Amino acid sequence: MTTALVTGANKGIGYETARLLGERGFTVLVCARDEAAGGAAAQRLRDGGAAAVFVQLDVTDPESVARATKRVEDEYGSLDVLVNNAGIAKGEWIASASTVASMREVYETNVVGIVALTNALLPLLRRAPAARIVNVSSEVGSVATQLRREGPLWRMTGLAYPASKAALNMVTVMYAKELWDTPIKVNAANPGYCATDLNGNSGYRTPEQGALVSVHLATLGEDGPTGVLWGDLSMSHGDTEDGVLPW
Ligand SMILES: NC(=O)c1ccc[n+]([C@@H]2O[C@H](COP(=O)([O-])OP(=O)(O)OC[C@H]3O[C@@H](n4cnc5c(N)ncnc54)[C@H](OP(=O)(O)O)[C@@H]3O)[C@@H](O)[C@H]2O)c1
């Protein structure tokens, strides 16, 4: 049995990622902080034929992380895929108006929570033959893309969310380097601008298109990359293809 754990899987890109991994034969651990929403999502996936199991998980709550980890260990013994998908986008619109409170809140979920969960699950990922870790990041965390004067992100100067994704990119690189000589691959995903609750459904890509980026990185073969930011290139290069983005 191959198992994949997806955080924030009750809706949006996370739900679609769980659905697509289920279609590909994974037993999917559908994680959500809200019991009712997560339970309903797992039920929908089971109704569609997937082996989907709801696991309560708030990445900012150490007790919830410990409970979920113990459950994965007790019930599955190892973990093949971890998709760190849960994220929030909050904060003020310009850097100089950023508050400490919004910086802390966004970093707690988008950076600290991912480190906490990854460290907790790493022993189980090491027990799988060739685990894959996917950190769902964003092109807005690409320093080179933000600095393209002619690019669509030039006018973005809000701080908390882009800075958290830039930090997540470095988190990805550091895990990739630590695990370089193991079969585990660690990459950051750029879903592109997808219509979800995160952005008031204003994105021009579908959640499924965003999820396909995570699924690609979750199912990389032995010859696939580690330590890259991969996904939608429309904002970094103006391309319609997926590929490696600059950091
Ligand atoms: N949409 C885009 O255009 C876009 C672009 C680039 C990157 N991303 C990234 O893609 C990921 C998924 O976002 P989305 O667009 O699908 O947004 P979404 O529909 O708002 O989904 C976010 C998910 O994260 C969960 N979550 C938030 N805080 C959590 C916590 N502390 N513990 C566990 N789960 C938590 C949410 O749970 P609740 O339902 O309980 O709130 C929800 O399931 C995020 O990391 C986001 O930054 C999105």
Side-chain angles (χ1 to χ4, degrees):
M1 183 202 302
T2 47
T3 49
L5 185 151
V6 183
T7 66
N10 52 295
K11 65 180 184 178
I13 296 167
Y15 176 80
E16 288 298 310
T17 304
R19 186 178 64 77
L20 293 168
L21 288 172
E23 276 181 15
R24 283 156 179 74
F26 285 87
T27 295
V28 193
L29 309 182
V30 178
C31 295
R33 53 183 171 178
D34 182 83
E35 301 250 355
Q43 185 61 55
R44 270 202 311 283
L45 292 170
R46 281 194 297 277
D47 291 345
V53 179
F54 166 60
V55 176
Q56 196 282 333
L57 178 58
D58 180 336
V59 299
T60 65
D61 176 356
E63 281 178 18
S64 171
V65 169
R67 250 193 332 268
T69 302
K70 183 167 184 325
R71 192 164 157 206
V72 179
E73 173 153 37
D74 290 350
E75 293 181 22
Y76 304 97
S78 66
L79 183 64
D80 296 277
V81 167
L82 166 61
V83 184
N84 284 311
N85 168 83
I88 56 171
K90 286 190 175 171
E92 296 68 28
W93 286 102
I94 55 170
S96 58
S98 297
T99 63
V100 168
S102 63
M103 290 296 291
R104 286 207 172 114
E105 186 182 354
V106 172
Y107 266 65
E108 200 59 43
T109 302
N110 294 6
V111 186
V112 180
I114 289 177
V115 173
L117 184 65
T118 303
N119 285 347
L121 290 172
L122 199 51
L124 305 184
L125 291 157
R126 285 184 188 276
R127 284 185 207 157
R132 303 287 178 255
I133 301 173
V134 181
N135 293 331
V136 182
S137 183
S138 171
E139 62 238 324
V140 305
S142 158
V143 175
T145 305
Q146 286 285 358
L147 280 170
R148 277 182 69 211
R149 277 252 21 190
E150 72 289 2
L153 297 182
W154 180 255
R155 288 164 64 84
M156 173 185 268
T157 56
L159 186 46
Y161 182 70
S164 75
K165 294 299 189 184
L168 180 57
N169 289 345
M170 185 60 80
V171 166
T172 304
V173 165
M174 291 306 173
Y175 279 102
K177 290 200 306 179
E178 180 179 339
L179 297 166
W180 203 268
D181 295 320
T182 77
I184 301 177
K185 296 185 188 299
V186 191
N187 291 296
N190 175 35
Y193 190 31
C194 304
T196 68
D197 288 350
L198 188 96
N199 50 35
N201 291 287
S202 60
Y204 47 72
R205 278 163 63 90
T206 65
E208 180 178 18
Q209 283 177 299
L212 282 166
V213 172
S214 293
V215 170
H216 172 80
L217 293 173
T219 56
L220 284 174
E222 200 184 327
D223 55 348
T226 190
V228 300
L229 171 61
W230 191 91
D232 179 50
L233 296 177
S234 54
M235 290 201 190
S236 60
H237 294 73
D239 286 357
T240 50
E241 300 292 308
D242 288 345
V244 176
L245 283 85
W247 294 115

